Amino acid sequence: MRHFGQIAPDVRKRLFHQEPCSFTADSPARLLSAALGATLYSPATRPSLADDILKQGARGLVSMVLCLEDSIDDADVPVGEANLVRQLTDLEKRSDGDVPLLFVRVRTPEQIPDLVRRLGPAVRLLSGFVLPKFTGERGMPFLEALAAAEAGSGRRLFAMPVLESPDLLYRESRVQTLEGIFRAVDKYRDRVLALRLGVTDFCSSYGLRRGPDMTAYDVQIVASVIADVVNMLARADGTGFTVTGPVWEYFRVQERMFKPQLRQSPFLEGQAVELRQKLIEHSMDGLLREISLDRANGLLGKTCIHPSHVLPVHALSVVSHEEFSDAQDILRPERCGGGVMRSAYTNKMNEVKPHRAWAERTLLRAEAFGVANEDIGFVELLAAGLSD
């Protein structure tokens, strides 16, 4: 797998100063957590699940969740489990293993060892499990079940806990809940690939739903939870985890209240005016803004419910040539003692010690998503992916 691997090599050469690296499900966890990108959710009941996985992988998807929880009716869980086992067994026979990172979102801890057992040899296609409504108390049985299933199958399995419990939302219980979550995931640190935010569940606790003109950060109760999750669980001191961005719910809007949020100039310069209009028609301007705010607030990757969201997430995850230049300058060995310098682009100050953690994260993202050429922006990356 590699990001933008679906694009022709000559086009990638034009787009990238440093191309995205290749990786597999067996790559180091540090790289995989940074490379998740847009994680597409699909109900496990889909009759064409195996074909969908192959099709989306060919289009550039690198991580996918097969859901047995909220996306299907309670009564359909046995059918969903049977379909999941059947589809992955079929996929294992048809595939050489070159499929996206696959995770199963379960409802109960008992499902984890049961599904691993039922999958048999097809478990080699599985990268792990998504653990719903995770708290310290509720989450430990899931993590224990995952560890036991891993030991029994001989297959490395990761956990991706979903932070969506009302206890995390309510002010009076938030800090205690976050402390319990940290203790649980810290105990199984080697098995926790990323923490995922369940913003839809947060909103439901107050009867809220953000519109296509609003981001999660415009809903203040949600923004405050994201801030506290990053504060306590995503620190850059070696104790933190990758936290992924919230789901974007929209993929086409018939009527809008506010002006589009995409400036015209980048699209005029890139001769991509039609692309701008297409993004606006499909509510992608709100998505692009939210992805930018995810990054500014310390989140990496994003939960997605529609294939059209994948490329925008990946295009805005590519490291710009300017970011790469700054990060390299900050991390030069001769500057380990600190200091301040003007950036190579002569437009900002780079201070070695305060900016070091940012620079390290930026170079990890550069490894996973690549570095754009100096004259390439997200418009060109989007256009190249859409024209493939």
Side-chain angles (χ1 to χ4, degrees):
M1 285 176 286
R2 69 188 305 177
H3 285 290
F4 299 95
Q6 78 278 19
I7 296 176
D10 60 322
V11 178
R12 287 204 308 269
K13 186 175 181 180
R14 176 177 62 82
L15 294 174
F16 289 98
H17 171 76
Q18 173 184 302
E19 290 196 24
C21 71
S22 296
F23 58 93
T24 71
D26 297 318
S27 293
R30 182 170 178 269
L31 174 60
L32 293 182
S33 68
L36 286 168
T39 301
L40 184 66
Y41 275 54
S42 175
T45 51
R46 285 183 64 88
S48 59
L49 194 59
D51 290 335
D52 292 343
I53 292 168
L54 292 174
K55 180 171 68 175
Q56 296 305 325
R59 292 178 175 178
L61 184 74
V62 305
S63 63
M64 190 168 184
V65 172
L66 316 176
C67 186
L68 290 165
E69 210 228 357
D70 286 347
S71 69
I72 66 173
D73 190 274
D74 295 348
D76 290 337
V77 173
V79 174
E81 290 179 343
N83 185 64
L84 175 69
V85 171
R86 183 169 58 252
Q87 295 284 336
L88 290 187
T89 300
D90 175 56
L91 185 61
E92 194 268 338
K93 295 173 182 176
R94 297 164 52 190
S95 165
D96 58 2
D98 187 19
V99 298
L101 304 172
L102 299 178
F103 302 86
V104 177
R105 184 175 180 176
V106 291
R107 295 183 174 217
T108 67
E110 294 75 21
Q111 284 178 298
I112 294 175
D114 180 58
L115 287 170
V116 167
R117 177 187 58 79
R118 291 164 65 181
L119 281 168
V123 75
R124 72 181 184 88
L125 299 181
L126 205 59
S127 290
F129 290 86
V130 174
L131 315 181
K133 299 173 179 58
F134 193 94
T135 63
E137 182 178 359
R138 175 180 164 83
M140 284 303 291
F142 282 96
L143 292 170
E144 291 165 356
L146 181 135
E150 180 183 69
S153 67
R155 169 69 180 169
R156 182 178 70 167
L157 296 170
F158 287 112
M160 290 203 293
V162 185
L163 310 186
E164 55 189 346
S165 166
D167 291 337
L168 184 59
L169 189 64
Y170 301 150
R171 180 182 292 273
E172 65 271 20
S173 56
R174 185 179 302 172
V175 172
Q176 182 179 355
T177 301
L178 283 168
E179 289 174 341
I181 290 170
F182 178 79
R183 286 192 296 270
V185 295
D186 187 50
K187 181 176 180 180
Y188 288 88
R189 177 172 293 272
D190 291 343
R191 295 280 70 84
V192 176
L193 191 61
L195 305 176
R196 312 200 71 88
L197 289 166
V199 164
T200 301
D201 278 45
F202 289 160
C203 289
S204 74
S205 296
Y206 289 88
L208 305 175
R209 185 174 190 179
R210 71 189 189 277
D213 296 312
M214 300 285 178
T215 72
Y217 302 92
D218 295 312
V219 183
Q220 291 300 300
I221 188 71
V222 171
S224 71
V225 181
I226 294 175
D228 286 343
V229 167
V230 172
N231 190 330
M232 296 184 67
L233 300 175
R235 298 177 184 178
D237 60 0
T239 66
F241 296 83
T242 295
V243 179
T244 64
V247 67
W248 181 257
E249 298 178 350
Y250 297 93
F251 43 89
R252 187 168 181 86
V253 177
Q254 303 300 327
E255 182 180 355
R256 54 191 312 130
M257 182 182 299
F258 300 109
K259 292 173 62 177
Q261 301 175 75
L262 284 179
R263 292 189 303 112
Q264 293 187 29
S265 53
F267 294 86
L268 292 172
E269 293 166 6
Q271 298 182 333
V273 176
E274 290 184 6
L275 172 60
R276 178 178 182 271
Q277 187 59 38
K278 182 177 180 181
L279 292 171
I280 291 170
E281 288 175 357
H282 289 77
S283 192
M284 294 296 184
D285 54 326
L287 170 62
L288 293 171
R289 181 166 178 262
E290 186 165 283
I291 296 167
S292 298
L293 289 169
D294 287 342
R295 180 78 36 71
N297 285 277
L299 310 184
L300 183 59
K302 200 165 188 64
T303 296
C304 295
I305 48 83
H306 196 273
S308 63
H309 299 168
V310 172
L311 183 58
V313 173
H314 293 172
L316 282 178
S317 297
V318 173
V319 173
S320 71
H321 188 273
E322 181 174 347
E323 290 176 308
F324 185 66
S325 174
D326 289 339
Q328 282 193 314
D329 281 349
I330 290 164
L331 295 177
R332 291 187 189 281
E334 63 269 23
R335 293 187 175 132
C336 62
V340 179
M341 74 207 86
R342 183 174 62 175
S343 72
Y345 275 69
T346 68
N347 61 359
K348 71 177 76 65
M349 173 194 75
N350 287 330
E351 192 168 354
V352 173
K353 289 184 178 179
H355 290 144
R356 176 170 292 275
W358 168 85
E360 291 171 346
R361 287 186 171 184
T362 298
L363 291 190
L364 179 59
R365 182 161 55 92
E367 186 178 356
F369 290 95
V371 178
N373 270 321
E374 193 168 357
D375 59 343
I376 297 296
F378 80 93
V379 172
E380 290 83 4
L381 292 162
L382 277 173
L386 289 171
S387 64
D388 181 69

